[in-house]
Amino acid sequence: MSDRPYHHGDLRSTLLASAERTLAERGPQALSLRELAREAGVSHAAPGRHFKDKRALLDALALHGFQRLQAALEEARRQQDQAGADTGAYLLGLARAYVGFALASPALLDLMYARKHDDDAPEQLAEAVGAMLATVLDTIAEGQRAGEIAEGDPTAIAFTVASTLHGFASFSAGASIEDVDEGLGDVVRLLLTGLGPR
């Protein structure tokens, strides 16, 4: 097997897709560059052209996850822009994008957050996390300017929103799409109105 030649159109993408499947089915401990090479039909040394070791593979997988999540959030914002939505609709659109990603790829999301907290996480990963948070932060700041969100530190508010959505996704694992969507609407309304009596 080791003498198999390296010929592959887009080996990096193939390895990442295969790694994500393995992650979802068997967890990060089951990931092996040698096994991924076997599945891709290339020599065991070929993945080294893209990932120097398993940690580099995990970092790339996490980064790819954050990039996909960011693209989903940006698409949600674009759709709300086109609809001329208010802050509540913006937040609900972002919430649906985030929770949809989290429920579709829970193992990947776990890896994404685990790697971002690692002391040796690459700078690219920190930048991707920053971009994701900036999308939420921009929505909060716009809502404050429009008078639809209370004054205060937008970073603290964005952190509250992001934490709530992450927790909601964790609690919603295994629930039906209909129940998740209905519950998500309630959560966003509570975020906007607060917990105090009205």
Side-chain angles (χ1 to χ4, degrees):
M1 191 178 300
S2 62
D3 60 352
R4 204 176 292 177
Y6 170 75
H7 293 299
H8 206 286
D10 188 358
L11 181 60
R12 189 176 193 279
S13 294
T14 298
L15 293 172
L16 285 174
S18 184
E20 187 173 342
R21 282 193 303 273
T22 301
L23 180 70
E25 294 167 3
R26 295 184 283 150
Q29 69 284 349
L31 285 171
S32 157
L33 288 172
R34 185 178 288 267
E35 178 67 16
L36 293 174
R38 187 190 64 76
E39 290 177 9
V42 297
S43 74
H44 69 80
R49 296 170 182 257
H50 304 282
F51 312 110
K52 67 177 182 179
D53 54 23
K54 181 176 175 177
R55 177 173 291 175
L57 171 67
L58 292 174
D59 285 340
L61 200 54
L63 178 60
H64 187 57
F66 276 116
Q67 289 168 339
R68 282 169 37 205
L69 177 54
Q70 177 66 15
L73 294 174
E74 288 176 354
E75 174 60 19
R77 278 184 59 90
R78 187 189 66 76
Q79 289 177 2
Q80 298 306 324
D81 280 341
Q82 289 181 340
D86 61 10
T87 299
Y90 266 108
L91 282 178
L92 184 56
L94 292 179
R96 284 176 171 149
Y98 184 90
V99 171
F101 180 92
L103 295 180
S105 307
L108 178 58
L109 194 68
D110 286 346
L111 173 69
M112 288 158 57
Y113 282 104
R115 290 305 301 148
K116 94 176 181 73
H117 290 301
D118 202 303
D119 290 339
D120 66 351
E123 184 62 30
Q124 270 186 305
L125 204 51
E127 290 170 0
V129 174
M132 181 187 72
L133 292 177
T135 301
V136 180
L137 187 61
D138 288 348
T139 302
I140 299 302
E142 288 168 10
Q144 287 178 318
R145 286 191 292 272
E148 296 174 335
I149 291 180
E151 293 182 7
D153 180 2
T155 301
I157 297 171
F159 181 77
T160 300
V161 171
S163 299
T164 300
L165 296 181
H166 189 70
F168 179 84
S170 296
F171 281 122
S172 299
S176 71
I177 296 298
E178 293 78 12
D179 288 343
V180 167
D181 199 54
E182 181 179 345
L184 197 52
D186 292 339
V187 166
V188 170
R189 280 189 290 276
L190 275 172
L191 282 170
L192 286 169
T193 58
L195 298 176
R198 288 171 290 284

